Amino acid sequence: MSLFGTNGVRGTANEELTAEMALDLGRVIATLKPGKIAVACDTRISSQMLKSAVVAGIMSAGSDAVDLGIAPTPALQFYCKRNRIPGVVVTASHNPREYNGIKFVQENGAEFFREMDEESERIYLSKKFRVAKWNEIGKLLSDECVEGYVNAIVEGVSLDRKYRVVVDCGNGASCFTSPEILRRLDCEVYSINSHPDGRFPVRNPEPVEKELGLLKKAVVDFKADFGVAHDGDADRAVFVDEKGNFVPEDAMLALMAKYYVEKNKGGIVVTPVSSSRCVEDVVREAGGEIVYTAVGSPVVAKVMLEKKAVFGGEGNGGLIFPEHLLARDGGMSIAKVLQLIEETGKKLSELVAEIPRYYTIKGKVECRNREKLLSALKKEFPEANHIDGARIDFEDGWLLIRPSGTEPIARIYAEGKTRQRAEELYNEGLRILKRILE
């Protein structure tokens, strides 16, 4: 398995992802991108240690490191775009507590594309870093990126009434941004898990439905217009409607895609092969075009740039608003949902009800040999779409089996027009996957 997965380097902190590795990765980006480099991190226990190592590596290669402290990934990315400098963020995003990661960011705010990761990996493995002389070592600078990021989001939204919103920051980096975004939009804000805590004491960093019981209850109890929850670095946002019902991530992706295509009177929407068919349905109905990619937000962002897409995103709460930033943005997602409710005059549950209903089942199985699985899938399903693993389409649903790019697991996605069909496809996929892995 390559060092860089679908979203940077990930691993168990201080075991797989060590301070020595972080030091060398700092040297890598400074070798590739001489000059100032911005650095930020999430709230994980290991993040400050790894950030310090990255900063040391950058300075040892003769570049200046701009320490932005703890900040959401999109806040660092917006800072990079505004200042036209590259960046590094120390985060494992949605991964479990014990993980951490290191992700490189381009001067336009987008994550490194695949070919850039491959070049980074070549430098990392060769150890051919720039080494500064004693009097040319880089400087350590400090700045903040939260204020500019929050301002950029709120200045584009105008609301005529006061909304009541519950936000679950998950003890991650959104503690410093999402409640403030809502306050500045004159919302009545109820926040939970809104103090930074790298132990993530209440729930896992990934905001899946089973983890959001407290948010659902709070939305109903406080009679809120909706609730929102983030992952550890706040590049993703998932929603709960005013009735306390979880909004499926694919339904939110479809809802926002429909909004953008209608607003632009057409246009291209980019999404991975793992996204629900409901996205394609609403985009085509609104007069737009759908383009599928491999899984991973950097791939989606690259194709969006190439195709001049009006919108893009993944079915995991990661929405990309290209006029703002060519990257997933949980903070902007909140503002856009408020804007959508404001412009339509409809409740979130009413908007979601307009999206075609499919039944989706997702699961995962331990898998430590990515290449073996990919090879076996090509033999097992020669007619499938192999842009990322194997996607097999049927008249009434589809099945996708693919190795994760961030964890040693294989993921299974099954979707059908009925729950029974989705379960049939999922069980068949699970049976085939287990046979391959055994």
Side-chain angles (χ1 to χ4, degrees):
M1 188 171 176
S2 63
L3 180 67
F4 287 81
T6 54
N7 234 229
V9 179
R10 302 267 178 97
T12 306
N14 228 26
E15 293 178 23
E16 297 165 320
L17 181 54
T18 61
E20 292 83 0
M21 184 183 286
L23 179 76
D24 280 351
L25 287 167
R27 289 167 166 158
V28 167
I29 193 167
T31 300
L32 272 173
K33 304 274 188 181
K36 284 184 181 177
I37 299 170
V39 189
C41 69
D42 66 14
T43 61
R44 290 168 190 266
I45 290 170
S46 58
S47 289
Q48 294 289 359
M49 173 192 76
L50 293 171
K51 176 163 70 75
S52 298
V54 169
V55 165
I58 289 169
M59 293 167 65
S60 76
S63 288
D64 295 340
V66 185
D67 189 350
L68 301 177
I70 296 174
T73 293
L76 169 125
Q77 290 173 299
F78 186 78
Y79 182 94
C80 289
K81 178 185 175 183
R82 190 179 61 185
N83 292 281
R84 304 301 302 171
I85 63 173
V88 183
V89 60
V90 177
T91 178
S93 193
H94 67 281
N95 287 148
R97 300 163 173 82
E98 65 272 19
Y99 278 73
N100 216 323
I102 292 172
K103 187 158 57 177
F104 292 166
V105 175
Q106 302 178 54
E107 294 88 341
N108 65 356
E111 296 162 62
F112 266 33
F113 298 149
R114 186 66 213 163
E115 61 273 18
M116 299 173 183
D117 280 343
E118 288 169 355
E119 177 63 16
S120 300
E121 191 162 335
R122 280 193 290 272
I123 295 171
Y124 177 87
L125 294 173
S126 71
K127 306 297 181 191
K128 292 180 179 176
F129 311 121
R130 289 174 63 230
V131 179
K133 294 178 182 177
W134 70 270
N135 59 341
E136 294 175 351
I137 290 168
K139 296 189 289 294
L140 176 59
L141 309 172
S142 63
D143 203 350
E144 69 85 34
C145 61
V146 166
E147 185 68 17
Y149 166 73
V150 169
N151 282 338
I153 289 174
V154 301
E155 67 187 14
V157 181
S158 178
L159 305 175
D160 290 333
R161 77 170 178 90
K162 197 180 188 80
Y163 292 87
R164 183 177 294 173
V165 181
V166 183
V167 57
D168 177 358
C169 298
N171 304 112
S174 66
C175 295
F176 302 99
T177 51
S178 290
E180 185 62 19
I181 289 167
L182 287 163
R183 273 193 291 270
R184 292 199 196 178
L185 290 172
D186 197 32
C187 292
E188 190 177 327
V189 189
Y190 295 86
S191 56
I192 55 179
N193 304 321
S194 61
H195 64 284
D197 189 338
R199 298 171 301 128
F200 302 106
V202 178
R203 66 168 174 86
N204 283 311
E206 187 169 16
V208 294
E209 182 177 5
K210 67 179 182 181
E211 299 277 359
L212 301 180
L214 184 60
L215 176 63
K216 290 178 175 182
K217 186 176 186 305
V219 168
V220 174
D221 288 350
F222 294 120
K223 296 181 172 59
D225 290 288
F226 65 85
V228 59
H230 293 293
D231 59 339
D233 66 332
D235 63 349
R236 288 161 52 175
V238 301
F239 293 84
V240 169
D241 70 20
E242 77 286 353
K243 298 176 181 178
N245 296 318
F246 181 78
V247 178
E249 295 100 320
D250 279 313
M252 181 54 71
L253 176 63
L255 191 59
M256 205 54 74
K258 176 186 176 186
Y259 172 63
Y260 263 76
V261 172
E262 288 175 347
K263 188 177 168 185
N264 287 278
K265 296 182 172 57
I268 291 171
V269 171
V270 180
T271 197
V273 288
S274 57
S275 294
S276 169
R277 200 174 279 171
C278 71
V279 181
E280 182 175 337
D281 288 351
V282 300
V283 167
R284 292 195 188 284
E285 188 181 343
E289 180 186 345
I290 195 93
V291 174
Y292 286 110
T293 70
V295 173
S297 58
V299 188
V300 175
K302 184 182 182 188
V303 176
M304 287 179 70
L305 184 65
E306 292 168 351
K307 302 282 186 181
K308 296 183 172 60
V310 297
F311 181 73
E314 302 173 291
N316 59 9
L319 307 180
I320 301 175
F321 308 94
E323 75 280 12
H324 165 67
L325 190 61
L326 208 60
R328 298 180 300 190
D329 194 331
M332 181 58 89
S333 297
I334 298 173
K336 291 295 182 182
V337 168
L338 281 165
Q339 195 169 47
L340 183 56
I341 293 171
E342 173 86 9
E343 289 180 15
T344 61
K346 296 178 181 178
K347 295 176 180 178
L348 184 53
S349 64
E350 294 170 340
L351 291 165
V352 173
E354 296 173 0
I355 302 299
R357 182 70 187 271
Y358 287 88
Y359 294 86
T360 308
I361 302 174
K362 301 178 184 180
K364 55 189 177 183
V365 173
E366 185 176 340
C367 172
R368 297 194 174 271
N369 194 327
R370 177 186 177 87
E371 299 309 319
K372 177 187 172 185
L373 175 59
L374 289 172
S375 176
L377 287 172
K378 285 180 180 175
K379 290 178 184 174
E380 187 78 31
F381 304 107
E383 304 301 318
N385 180 336
H386 290 284
I387 195 170
D388 190 352
R391 172 164 164 158
I392 310 96
D393 280 278
F394 304 92
E395 185 76 23
D396 56 353
W398 55 267
L399 171 69
L400 173 67
I401 303 173
R402 57 173 289 272
S404 169
T406 58
E407 300 174 74
I409 57 174
R411 297 189 184 276
I412 312 170
Y413 308 73
E415 182 172 273
K417 288 184 178 178
T418 65
R419 188 178 297 281
Q420 183 183 351
R421 181 56 173 152
E423 288 173 354
E424 286 173 1
L425 288 169
Y426 180 82
N427 290 331
E428 178 66 7
L430 187 61
R431 184 186 65 78
I432 292 168
L433 178 58
K434 284 183 176 177
R435 173 165 55 76
I436 289 171
L437 295 176
E438 285 167 2

